[in-house]
Amino acid sequence: MTARIIEGRGGIYTVQNKLGEKYVLRVGNKFRYNKMTPLVGDIVKYSPGEDDSHGWIDEILPRKNSLVRPPVANIDRIGIVIAEIPQPDFLLVDKILLNAFMQKIEPIIIVNKVDLGEQALKQATQSYSAAGVNVIGVSALQDNTLDKIKELFSGAVACFAGQSGVGKSTLLSKLLNLPLETGKLSRKTSRGKQTTRHTSLFIEGDFMLLDTPGFSLLEVPQIEPQELLKYYPEFALPLGQCKFSPCFHDSEPQCAVKDMVEKGLIDSSRHERYKTLKNQIVDNWKNRYS
């Protein structure tokens, strides 16, 4: 029998099959020997337990993809949530976008709390329109704006990611009509207080939405510096037009990407953050054996 893992705590996993039946399962030592840890979102073969005893996960089926933070698998779409408050961390957005593109997950940037203003929405649209990333503005307090998320997430396993305090759990509770715990912003720091402490997958009709712990840091992946260019769609148009090859679109003269930045065809702040990530990846690559 097969089912999808919807929650995991302390080596105990809850799965739900296509009939909506839920089972509590354990994992055997063979998974530890193979260094294979089940993740929420995994599709597994299982043997249910008898009476009140736990069943067992027998096999983890091949994954479409997997993320480390949040630790989830088989994601179709990722909603990168920012908000008017707290101040958006666009470098974090770029890191999540990079990981999404690498894992072939469709990213959608969701700007929450537009009832407080639309500055963050304007910034996000300006930064990511050239990259072809869908940017939508919503408010968890205005139910009619959530139809955009429902339309984009319908029929897919979707994950929210982003800073703590941007309203991920509030959006999830509104979409699924579930009384999830939500938090308020710290008065001293204007930073979000984390409310989600473990990862859960909620299946409700056509929706399969993950509630994941908020995070403020995300490590850049260990890739060759030249690979980074593949995950910036807005850099593809001037491909091959730079004087030097390869061109990292940083300090090189006669760079077609820098020309597009100067003409306003590529957002300058997005390009500056690209250079920050590029430098981190170069440093990581140089020190990969240390």
Side-chain angles (χ1 to χ4, degrees):
M1 292 179 284
T2 62
R4 190 183 296 268
I5 296 178
I6 61 173
E7 191 171 283
R9 298 195 201 185
I12 305 295
Y13 298 88
T14 303
V15 301
Q16 181 173 331
N17 62 25
K18 291 183 178 180
L19 299 177
E21 300 167 331
K22 297 180 181 180
Y23 295 91
V24 179
L25 310 174
R26 293 181 177 272
V27 293
N29 290 329
K30 66 178 181 179
F31 292 100
R32 296 189 185 93
Y33 297 147
N34 294 327
K35 296 182 179 180
M36 187 74 169
T37 301
L39 299 176
V40 172
D42 271 331
I43 299 174
V44 302
K45 291 184 178 181
Y46 69 98
S47 299
E50 296 182 1
D51 299 324
D52 294 332
S53 62
H54 293 151
W56 294 91
I57 292 177
D58 300 317
E59 181 183 353
I60 299 174
L61 298 185
R63 292 167 175 162
K64 173 182 177 180
N65 51 51
S66 63
L67 301 177
V68 176
R69 296 185 66 182
V72 291
N74 299 314
I75 307 304
D76 299 306
R77 297 187 183 97
I78 184 166
I80 305 171
V81 185
I82 61 174
E84 192 70 22
I85 299 174
Q87 183 176 347
D89 183 349
F90 286 110
L91 184 60
L92 175 62
V93 173
D94 288 346
K95 290 179 181 179
I96 300 174
L97 273 177
L98 173 58
N99 281 271
F101 286 143
M102 291 181 64
Q103 296 282 356
K104 298 183 179 179
I105 301 171
E106 180 186 353
I108 300 164
I109 297 176
I110 300 171
V111 185
N112 191 22
K113 307 181 186 180
V114 293
D115 53 293
L116 300 179
E118 295 191 355
Q119 183 61 32
L121 179 60
K122 291 177 181 177
Q123 287 178 297
T125 302
Q126 180 177 329
S127 276
Y128 302 106
S129 59
V133 179
N134 200 350
V135 179
I136 63 173
V138 303
S139 170
L141 301 180
Q142 300 170 350
D143 291 345
N144 61 311
T145 66
L146 303 184
D147 291 339
K148 300 175 185 177
I149 300 179
K150 292 179 181 179
E151 180 181 346
L152 292 168
F153 281 4
S154 180
V157 177
C159 172
F160 286 136
Q163 300 160 257
S164 298
V166 293
K168 298 187 299 296
S169 291
T170 302
L171 288 171
L172 197 77
S173 65
K174 287 281 188 177
L175 289 166
L176 298 175
N177 295 316
L178 291 173
L180 299 177
E181 182 183 0
T182 59
K184 297 180 179 179
L185 294 179
S186 167
R187 291 183 179 179
K188 294 182 179 180
T189 65
S190 294
R191 295 180 63 186
K193 298 179 180 179
Q194 182 167 311
T195 56
T196 306
R197 296 174 180 85
H198 59 274
T199 300
S200 300
L201 174 63
F202 295 91
I203 302 176
E204 184 75 17
D206 287 339
F207 284 107
M208 292 181 283
L209 297 184
L210 285 147
D211 189 24
T212 61
F215 57 90
S216 57
L217 296 175
L218 184 69
E219 297 298 326
V220 295
Q222 186 79 278
I223 59 175
E224 292 188 36
Q226 285 179 298
E227 277 192 69
L228 179 62
L229 302 176
K230 297 191 301 186
Y231 305 111
Y232 278 74
E234 59 267 57
F235 293 177
L237 185 61
L239 189 65
Q241 298 178 28
C242 299
K243 179 178 180 180
F244 296 97
S245 180
C247 181
F248 286 102
H249 313 314
D250 188 350
S251 57
E252 299 91 341
Q254 299 182 39
C255 169
V257 168
K258 291 197 298 181
D259 287 344
M260 293 186 68
V261 172
E262 291 176 2
K263 294 175 181 177
L265 300 175
I266 293 176
D267 181 58
S268 59
S269 60
R270 164 85 162 153
H271 183 245
E272 287 298 318
R273 295 193 302 271
Y274 154 76
K275 292 193 289 185
T276 298
L277 289 183
K278 187 264 296 180
N279 290 336
Q280 292 180 14
I281 288 173
V282 168
D283 289 341
N284 289 348
W285 190 252
K286 288 180 180 177
N287 301 320
R288 63 189 184 279
Y289 298 122
S290 60

